[in-house]
Amino acid sequence: MRELPPEDELLRPRDHDPIVTVPAHTWHCLFCDPDGPVSFRTTVVWMGPNTTGPHGRCAQCGQKYALASDPGMLLRDALPPIEVAGRLDHCRLCDAPAEAGAKPSVAWRGPRGRCARCGQAYVRPEPQSRAA
C-alpha cells in the first residue's frame, strides 16, 4: 500500500482560498500565471459547468474557478480590489507601459477605480479627516 505525502506537500498554496468566478474565455490562472504562458499549455484544468463545486482548478497553485453565467463579464471583475497609494490612469495588469498622452483605462469615482478593459478594481486610501 502506498503512503500519502505529508499534508504540507499534498496541498497547494491556494487550496483553501474561495472560488473565483471568471468568464468562459479564461485559460490561465489569474494568480500564478497572470499574463498567460509563453507556450501553448494552459494552467487551468476545466471540468465543465455541470459539476458540483468548482468548474476548474489551477494545476500549479490549486485556485478554484467557476464559470460566470454572464457572457459579458470582464476577466478580473470578481477579484478583490488592489490598494494603490494614489490615482493611476492605466491598469497595472492589462496595460503595457502607456505612451504619453494615451487615453486612461482606469475610471475613478471617489476613492474607487475600475479598469474598463479587464475589470480590475482599485482603491486608494481616503485622506484622514482633520476634524477631531
Side-chain angles (χ1 to χ4, degrees):
M1 200 191 273
R2 199 173 109 187
E3 230 179 273
L4 286 175
E7 189 173 323
D8 59 337
E9 292 176 19
L10 185 64
L11 295 177
R12 295 187 184 128
R14 299 190 68 86
D15 269 343
H16 297 295
D17 288 359
I19 297 172
V20 174
T21 303
V22 291
H25 56 78
T26 305
W27 292 102
H28 308 291
C29 181
L30 300 177
F31 299 97
C32 68
D33 205 2
D35 299 324
V38 178
S39 65
F40 290 105
R41 70 165 173 76
T42 60
T43 59
V44 178
V45 178
W46 290 101
M47 294 173 254
N50 297 328
T51 61
T52 57
H55 301 147
R57 182 180 170 136
C58 177
Q60 293 176 358
C61 73
Q63 177 63 51
K64 297 173 210 74
Y65 292 99
L67 291 173
S69 58
D70 177 15
M73 178 184 180
L74 297 175
L75 181 63
R76 292 184 168 89
D77 267 342
L79 293 180
I82 296 174
E83 190 169 323
V84 292
R87 184 183 178 109
L88 55 106
D89 291 330
H90 301 283
C91 181
R92 291 181 177 171
L93 301 172
C94 72
D95 279 351
E99 298 175 9
K103 183 179 176 184
S105 64
V106 178
W108 290 90
R109 185 174 282 184
R112 299 194 167 275
R114 183 173 178 269
C115 176
R117 292 185 188 139
C118 72
Q120 178 63 54
Y122 292 95
V123 66
R124 4 174 251 235
E126 294 201 35
Q128 296 295 325
S129 173
R130 291 191 179 159

